[in-house]
Amino acid sequence: MCTDITDGLFAGALGGICAVAESYGYQVLVFNSMDRLDLEIAGVDALVSQGAEGIIVSPVLVSQSGHLLKLADALPLVCLDRQVEKLPSVVSDDVYAASLAAEKIALKGHARIGFVTSVQVEEPISLTTGGDGLQVQGERRPSVQRARGFVSGLAKAGLAPTEEDFCLVDHRRGDGLDRVTQWFSRNEDVTAVVAGDSYQARIVYEALRNLGVRIPDDISLIVFSDADWPEMVSPALDRISLRARGMGSEAARSLLALLSSGSTSDLVTLDVDYHEGNSLRNLT
């Protein structure tokens, strides 16, 4: 059960799931929830009715997972990419990944660095500024964890990010390109950007191209993406990938462990990979 089968992360994870499951004689049924909770609930029911012996699910909302907790009492279940309390989960180290991106850019001498990411409106990223600087609040989902990592990475580099450095986009709306373009137009002093997910990687790249902003001469860029296109454009983009196939493989192994012994690790956190391109300008 994935939220968007067209996303490179889930396509890669499915490859890993299938490779492990089929080697043990299992067939894999796939349901795409399209990031809708109602479809996730219907999909889980459909998979159970088709005789599924276990389920790997990427929850649409980690805070509304009562149906998954109930199901896990009767059927082996593992969460993928999103951590749900009391359920076995396989995730990437999103905090470290975004911290790494922020630190790499800061080491190049950039002082105003932006972060563009998709948000789930039901589980938003909350930004507040207090005596300890900018704080990130929200559920334990990738977008929130990466926002936390971005702020942490800049803090390690001695930089103090503000709420204006963030462009938060509801990716289910059709105006993402317009919103990102407007954000760039309002923040012309931004010299570097982290695109925090595969959706915004494409949108940020298109927005900069439409504005005539040159990478890396005018702006530096690191993208999160499990697709190959960032390495095929010119200049090739610095990219963080999430080991999607490995995530799927680990989720499948966790599910098989539940099926055979009734127990598995509560949480598996995978490292990420940094692919160096030519999209960072040195300002030092």
Side-chain angles (χ1 to χ4, degrees), residues 1-2 17 47 54-58 76-80 248 251-252 255:
M1 170 76 65
C2 64
I17 291 169
L47 291 172
I55 292 181
I56 297 170
V57 57
S58 181
L77 186 147
V78 174
C79 293
L80 175 76
L255 189 63

Side-chain angles (χ1 to χ4, degrees), residues 61 76 97 102 123 163 172 178-179 181 189 197 199 245 258:
L61 300 174
E123 293 180 340
E163 296 179 42
R172 289 181 294 192
D178 290 339
R179 290 171 61 85
T181 301
D189 58 333
D197 57 75
Y199 298 107
R245 188 177 181 88
L258 285 173

Side-chain angles (χ1 to χ4, degrees), residues 51-267:
E53 297 177 55
I55 292 181
I56 297 170
V57 57
S58 181
V60 173
L61 300 174
V62 298
S63 62
Q64 298 184 36
S65 52
H67 60 293
L68 299 180
L69 291 165
K70 182 178 179 180
L71 177 62
D73 288 335
L75 195 70
L77 186 147
V78 174
C79 293
L80 175 76
D81 187 46
R82 288 106 192 249
Q83 183 182 353
V84 175
E85 190 175 356
K86 299 181 180 179
L87 290 178
S89 303
V90 179
V91 300
S92 292
D93 195 341
D94 291 302
V95 173
Y96 167 75
S99 177
L100 173 66
E103 290 184 70
K104 280 187 172 291
I105 292 175
L107 286 172
K108 297 289 186 180
H110 295 267
R112 178 88 198 278
I113 304 168
F115 187 79
V116 181
T117 190
S118 302
V119 293
Q120 196 89 11
V121 294
E122 299 92 342
E123 293 180 340
I125 297 172
S126 175
L127 302 172
T128 58
T129 303
D132 294 328
L134 187 66
Q135 302 295 315
V136 178
Q137 304 294 332
E139 299 291 340
R140 292 181 64 87
R141 56 182 306 114
S143 57
V144 178
Q145 297 291 77
R146 291 173 199 169
R148 290 188 175 116
F150 176 75
V151 171
S152 173
L154 292 185
K156 290 177 184 176
L159 299 176
T162 68
E163 296 179 42
E164 288 71 30
D165 296 332
F166 283 76
C167 179
L168 308 179
V169 183
D170 177 0
H171 73 271
R172 289 181 294 192
R173 290 177 51 170
D175 62 348
L177 179 59
D178 290 339
R179 290 171 61 85
V180 172
T181 301
Q182 291 166 12
W183 181 84
F184 276 120
S185 297
R186 293 194 307 270
N187 294 276
E188 294 183 350
D189 58 333
V190 168
T191 61
V193 173
V194 176
D197 57 75
S198 60
Y199 298 107
Q200 299 312 315
R202 295 189 296 267
I203 287 176
V204 165
Y205 188 78
E206 184 175 357
L208 293 174
R209 184 178 58 187
N210 292 346
L211 289 168
V213 178
R214 299 169 300 169
I215 303 169
D217 296 345
D218 301 323
I219 198 164
S220 294
L221 177 63
I222 294 177
V223 301
F224 277 72
S225 179
D226 278 84
D228 293 331
W229 72 263
E231 298 174 359
M232 299 177 182
V233 298
S234 182
L237 305 182
D238 284 55
R239 174 173 71 95
I240 290 176
S241 65
L242 303 180
R243 299 188 180 181
R245 188 177 181 88
M247 191 186 300
S249 299
E250 286 296 331
R253 293 189 188 100
S254 293
L255 189 63
L256 288 169
L258 285 173
L259 285 165
S260 62
S261 67
S263 65
T264 189
S265 300
D266 292 335
L267 177 65

